[in-house]
């Protein structure tokens, strides 16, 4: 298969595979971190909103994993941004419960921006459009979550 051809099953171009794995990494880390936060917060509004965000990131991760198939061997080519977001989520999860929700929401926004940046680099425009639909849904969810958290007085600063 040439790198300029998409697979018949809707999988991304071979040349896009590294970018897609980075997007997968960020979205999976986002889903995992938000699910962890949902389990740690006591407020039911917070539990619900973080579960919503986790579900959105995990839905994107599942779609990407289905398209990618098997895991690649570690080539050391991961974009540093994906690693940065993963570390940020891990550090935030270790934070005190008081600051945890606000830190995770901040990282969620950073993660979404970085995924959007990676999507613009994809050569397979149809696949990029499919991912963008997930990103639009995540953006709407984050906006709704921020609004609900503000209404409930759960946002610091």
């Amino acid at each position: 298969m040439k790198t300029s051809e998409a697979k018949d099953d809707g999988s991304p171009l071979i040349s896009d595979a590294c970018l897609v794995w980075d997007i997968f990494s960020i979205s999976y880390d986002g889903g995992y971190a938000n699910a962890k936060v949902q389990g740690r917060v006591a407020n039911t509004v917070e539990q619900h909103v973080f579960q919503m965000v986790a579900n959105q990131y995990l839905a994107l991760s599942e779609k990407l994993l289905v398209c990618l198939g098997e895991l690649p061997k570690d080539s050391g080519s991961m974009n540093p941004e994906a690693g940065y977001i993963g570390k940020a989520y891990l550090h935030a999860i270790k934070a005190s419960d008081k600051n945890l929700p606000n830190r995770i929401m901040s990282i969620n926004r950073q993660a979404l921006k970085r995924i959007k940046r990676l999507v613009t680099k994809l050569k397979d425009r149809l696949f990029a459009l499919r991912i963008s639909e997930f990103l639009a849904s995540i953006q709407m969810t984050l906006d709704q979550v921020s609004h609900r958290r503000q209404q409930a007085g759960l946002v610091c600063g």
Side-chain angles (χ1 to χ4, degrees):
M1 175 189 324
K2 296 178 187 173
T3 58
S4 62
E5 296 175 351
K7 294 181 185 178
D8 290 338
D9 64 358
S11 297
L13 297 170
I14 293 172
S15 60
D16 287 340
C18 288
L19 289 171
V20 175
W21 278 111
D22 289 341
I23 295 167
F24 169 80
S25 177
I26 293 170
S27 64
Y28 182 80
D29 289 342
Y32 174 81
N34 281 277
K36 281 292 226 186
V37 173
Q38 182 266 335
R40 284 181 53 189
V41 293
N43 183 304
T44 56
V45 171
E46 293 273 58
Q47 290 172 352
H48 178 72
V49 297
F50 283 107
Q51 186 61 50
M52 286 174 38
V53 176
N55 290 343
Q56 292 288 322
Y57 275 121
L58 292 174
L60 174 57
S61 298
E62 286 178 25
K63 173 67 174 173
L64 295 172
L65 195 55
V66 166
C67 291
L68 286 167
E70 65 184 60
L71 293 171
K73 293 184 179 172
D74 184 12
S75 63
S77 64
M78 178 185 244
N79 186 318
E81 289 183 291
Y84 169 80
I85 291 295
K87 287 179 185 173
Y89 276 127
L90 286 175
H91 288 295
I93 290 171
K94 293 178 183 176
S96 71
D97 287 343
K98 177 183 174 189
N99 297 322
L100 178 63
N102 291 323
R103 288 183 69 182
I104 291 293
M105 285 303 296
S106 174
I107 298 166
N108 284 335
R109 294 213 179 271
Q110 290 175 32
L112 190 59
K113 285 180 188 176
R114 289 168 194 256
I115 292 173
K116 287 177 182 177
R117 198 173 309 136
L118 291 170
V119 168
T120 63
K121 296 177 183 179
L122 293 173
K123 291 179 177 76
D124 184 338
R125 299 315 303 159
L126 181 58
F127 190 69
L129 180 61
R130 289 181 186 158
I131 294 174
S132 294
E133 291 170 357
F134 278 94
L135 299 181
S137 181
I138 292 170
Q139 181 69 59
M140 288 174 42
T141 299
L142 288 176
D143 291 345
Q144 290 172 354
V145 164
S146 292
H147 182 70
R148 287 182 69 186
R149 292 183 76 235
Q150 285 177 343
Q151 283 183 323
L154 300 169
V155 179
C156 294

